[in-house]
Amino acid sequence: MVCGLLLLTGCSDDDSVSDSATPPAKTDLSVFAGCYTVNYETPAQIKISKQEGNWVMQMKESASANRLWDDPEPLEVLDSTHIPKFFSIDPDNVDAVIARPDRFLVMAHVKPVYANIDPLLDSEYLSYIYKGANTIYKVKCDEINTNLLNNPHANIVIDNVNDGSQ
């Protein structure tokens, strides 16, 4: 009986078996670093960056805030088992997923090869923002502040927004 128990224990230590709750070590989250918008014609609205070793997101502030980005919110890596909860895409076609802990924002990076052949995708980035999924576009980070409540497409520039808190 002891030999059988040792055999079973030895089998469970197989390195080829991975815990699905732990993202693969090769997940490259640097694909998310940058700014995003829901439309190429609008200024960036979301900023993803690595600060003090952690991935964070920031939203554009309204013009009345006198700063460009809000305070950083933490993000966490999700493994591929979570993809069907947010996106209708085969997890094999996604190479990284990052999300707010409350799951109000989830972003996925679609493998470039797949994004090029799927006619429904016009971006390598998918976003799930509070119960809705769509493509999102990576754009150049800018210093244009918008008033999303009055006119989300208005370009309002605030003087001295580059105060180092971006």
Side-chain angles (χ1 to χ4, degrees):
M1 183 165 166
V2 173
C3 289
L5 191 56
L6 289 174
L7 180 61
L8 288 175
T9 304
C11 291
S12 67
D13 289 335
D14 185 356
D15 290 338
S16 66
V17 177
S18 64
D19 180 6
S20 64
T22 305
K26 64 181 179 177
T27 301
D28 180 13
L29 298 179
S30 67
V31 297
F32 292 113
C35 292
Y36 298 86
T37 185
V38 294
N39 179 330
Y40 273 127
E41 298 172 5
T42 58
Q45 299 164 348
I46 299 170
K47 182 178 182 179
I48 307 291
S49 62
K50 193 171 189 178
Q51 296 180 12
E52 299 176 10
N54 298 309
W55 287 95
V56 297
M57 70 162 286
Q58 293 172 274
M59 297 290 295
K60 252 315 157 65
E61 285 278 19
S62 67
S64 63
N66 291 324
R67 65 179 184 167
L68 192 56
W69 299 101
D70 69 359
D71 295 330
E73 294 286 334
L75 295 173
E76 57 189 31
V77 181
L78 297 184
D79 65 67
S80 62
T81 62
H82 291 90
I83 293 171
K85 295 176 188 171
F86 305 103
F87 307 108
S88 58
I89 188 169
D90 184 336
D92 290 339
N93 297 319
V94 175
D95 58 13
V97 183
I98 197 166
R100 281 179 35 157
D102 62 10
R103 305 298 190 261
F104 274 27
L105 172 74
V106 179
M107 288 180 62
H109 182 256
V110 177
K111 293 178 181 177
V113 171
Y114 185 77
N116 288 334
I117 62 170
D118 187 331
L120 298 176
L121 296 178
D122 57 354
S123 170
E124 293 177 16
Y125 298 91
L126 298 175
S127 67
Y128 171 91
I129 302 174
Y130 188 66
K131 299 185 181 183
N134 207 340
T135 53
I136 191 168
Y137 305 97
K138 192 171 193 178
V139 296
K140 181 181 176 188
C141 292
D142 57 57
E143 294 186 10
I144 298 171
N145 201 300
T146 60
N147 191 338
L148 298 176
L149 298 176
N150 293 332
N151 182 357
H153 304 292
N155 294 338
I156 302 167
V157 179
I158 297 176
D159 292 331
N160 301 319
V161 294
N162 194 7
D163 63 3
S165 65
Q166 296 183 42

